[in-house]
Amino acid sequence: MQNISEKKDTVISILLALSFSHFLNDMVQSLLPAIYPILKHEYTLNFAQIGIITLTYQLTGSLLQPVVGLITDRKPYPYSLPIGMFSTLIGLLTLAYAKNFSFILLGAGLIGLGSSVFHPESSRMARTAAGNKPGFAQSVFQIGGNAGTAVGPLLAAFIILPHGQMSLAWFSLATFAAIITLSYIGRWYQIHHLANARKRKHVEKIAFDRKTITISMTVLMLLVFSKYFYLASITSYFTFYLIHKFHLSTQAAQLHLFLFLAAVAIGTLIGGPIGDRIGRKAVIWYSILGVLPFTLALPYASLPVTSILSVIIGLILSSAFSAIVVYAQELAPGRTGTIAGLFFGLSFGMGGLGAAVCGKLADIHGIDYVYHLVSFLPTLGILTVFLPNPKVREMNLT
């Protein structure tokens, strides 16, 4: 990307605060799939119902995100973040005290609603604090979320599984901490935005026509579909797969899920800075298509090899998302929130759809069949060939 503007500083303190908030937000969210074994046993749920829970959470966390992004592109609402986190708090408490399937769905939906507010606005703030390192900033922001997602199952294994469903309420302390942090970030963003609004000298314009942008966005959405549909098969059903195939205990299966999610967190942190250096298209190539040999091998592997392959898959596959988001933002300058909402929302939606479809397939054909089928999804990475090499030019309006 060509940039003729003066050098912009990266605001590390804000990026770290955003990452910490993302950690708390996604840690709480990851408790939901982590307690599926408890819910399945307690309420005699089948795999299809487990998929409906995930679908409810993912849809409420996806459909509103592009709308939130579009609105805040026009008029930012910095304090919307703590308000969104309050929805997550109510959803968490609803899950903790739910007595039937309907209330479980309500709690899952409220947690998803909190995410629909959190992700586009916090991603916009990360972009604002990025300076000239948008890939790095997006990765720092994402690492918090992925680390939280990884820690959630571990906490579930050692806290919620021994103490039961109501122990979810203990994690309301995490949402309170997030509300305080997000209020501080909102104050910084309010001051920063007003200062920039008074004196805005540069506007970016993309050097591609509408047709090229449309094709590129379509390709990026298909790549997000392949990535998150596959990830849904792991995050929602990997514990069941390990219990069924290798006769592991629930706690042991949760530890394997933690290893996978930890690898996802590390891969996310690596992907953004590499994209800043070698180009985001190269990272997308290697991340989506490069993981194919490992996903194809996973259904045939022994337990030790399954553990190794899951870590490799997590590392490689997760490196794409930061690159995809920043690449799309470079295709459509000035629409940071809309793009963030679109792709975060799409990732949630595809995760929910993937969970529902995989759950239904598992009920009909068995859990092993699911992992044979989804192993071919990374072949969609070949579509990266249709992505152009973006070169943004900046026009001085003063």
Side-chain angles (χ1 to χ4, degrees):
M1 189 177 80
Q2 296 171 340
N3 189 352
I4 62 173
S5 64
E6 63 186 41
K7 184 178 180 180
K8 304 172 186 175
D9 293 330
T10 303
V11 187
I12 296 296
S13 61
I14 293 299
L15 291 180
L16 292 177
L18 285 167
S19 186
F20 175 65
S21 301
H22 203 181
F23 169 83
L24 295 174
N25 181 78
D26 286 22
M27 179 193 73
V28 169
Q29 292 173 7
S30 70
L31 295 175
L32 177 59
I35 65 167
Y36 282 169
I38 291 179
L39 298 177
K40 190 174 189 294
H41 177 265
E42 185 71 20
Y43 300 97
T44 319
L45 304 180
N46 56 34
F47 282 122
Q49 288 174 305
I50 294 292
I52 290 171
I53 295 172
T54 302
L55 180 62
T56 300
Y57 154 66
Q58 300 281 30
L59 284 181
T60 57
S62 63
L63 295 179
L64 289 179
Q65 287 202 40
V67 177
V68 171
L70 182 63
I71 291 172
T72 55
D73 272 338
R74 295 175 179 176
K75 184 179 180 181
Y77 296 92
Y79 292 102
S80 62
L81 285 172
I83 295 173
M85 187 58 64
F86 184 74
S87 174
T88 300
L89 169 62
I90 299 301
L92 182 67
L93 293 175
T94 302
L95 278 175
Y97 297 103
K99 298 299 182 183
N100 55 52
F101 185 63
S102 296
F103 274 93
I104 292 172
L105 292 180
L106 176 61
L110 287 170
I111 291 176
L113 181 63
S115 286
S116 71
V117 176
F118 176 83
H119 286 101
E121 266 296 82
S122 54
S123 181
R124 167 207 297 287
M125 295 185 188
R127 180 78 179 192
T128 303
N132 291 329
K133 299 178 180 178
F136 168 77
Q138 193 63 225
S139 284
V140 171
F141 169 65
Q142 283 293 321
I143 186 65
N146 286 336
T149 301
V151 169
L154 200 62
L155 295 175
F158 290 101
I159 297 178
I160 298 176
L161 289 180
H163 296 95
Q165 178 184 344
M166 292 180 65
S167 62
L168 275 169
W170 300 348
F171 292 92
S172 61
L173 295 174
T175 60
F176 280 119
I179 288 171
I180 293 170
T181 304
L182 291 172
S183 297
Y184 158 73
I185 295 170
R187 176 61 177 164
W188 170 86
Y189 185 64
Q190 184 180 46
I191 295 172
H192 185 91
H193 173 75
L194 289 176
N196 280 349
R198 294 189 189 102
K199 187 178 180 181
R200 189 171 185 176
K201 293 185 176 181
H202 298 281
V203 174
E204 292 179 336
K205 290 190 176 181
I206 194 67
F208 293 113
D209 57 49
R210 185 179 297 273
K211 180 180 178 180
T212 301
I213 294 173
T214 301
I215 292 173
S216 299
M217 289 294 184
T218 302
V219 168
L220 292 173
M221 290 179 187
L222 288 171
L223 295 178
V224 168
F225 159 76
S226 70
K227 170 182 164 64
Y228 280 94
F229 203 102
Y230 185 86
L231 285 178
S233 72
I234 300 290
T235 55
S236 293
Y237 302 106
F238 195 46
T239 53
F240 296 112
Y241 173 75
L242 294 172
I243 291 168
H244 165 75
K245 186 170 183 177
F246 302 112
H247 310 291
L248 297 183
S249 68
T250 300
Q251 275 195 340
Q254 293 282 21
L255 289 174
H256 280 79
L257 179 59
F258 165 75
L259 289 176
F260 169 79
L261 295 173
V264 168
I266 295 170
T268 299
L269 182 62
I270 294 172
I274 292 177
D276 285 337
R277 285 180 170 270
I278 69 172
R280 295 174 230 295
K281 183 176 177 179
V283 173
I284 295 170
W285 263 118
Y286 298 141
S287 178
I288 305 295
L289 194 60
V291 80
L292 180 61
F294 305 103
T295 60
L296 291 174
L298 183 68
Y300 304 96
S302 63
L303 178 59
V305 177
T306 295
S307 298
I308 295 170
L309 286 175
S310 68
V311 169
I312 294 173
I313 291 169
L315 283 170
I316 297 176
L317 194 58
S318 61
S319 63
F321 191 66
S322 295
I324 289 173
V325 170
V326 176
Y327 184 100
Q329 288 172 340
E330 290 173 346
L331 285 173
R335 300 185 181 272
T336 302
T338 304
I339 294 298
L342 176 63
F343 281 93
F344 276 106
L346 184 64
S347 69
F348 272 68
M350 289 303 101
L353 177 63
V357 171
C358 289
K360 189 64 176 178
L361 289 173
D363 283 334
I364 297 173
H365 300 289
I367 196 70
D368 290 339
Y369 174 84
V370 170
Y371 284 93
H372 282 88
L373 186 64
V374 300
S375 67
F376 292 95
L377 282 172
T379 55
L380 288 176
I382 196 68
L383 296 175
T384 306
V385 72
F386 294 107
L387 295 178
N389 296 313
K391 293 182 179 180
V392 177
R393 66 178 185 264
E394 199 170 79
M395 303 295 292
N396 194 325
L397 299 183
T398 58

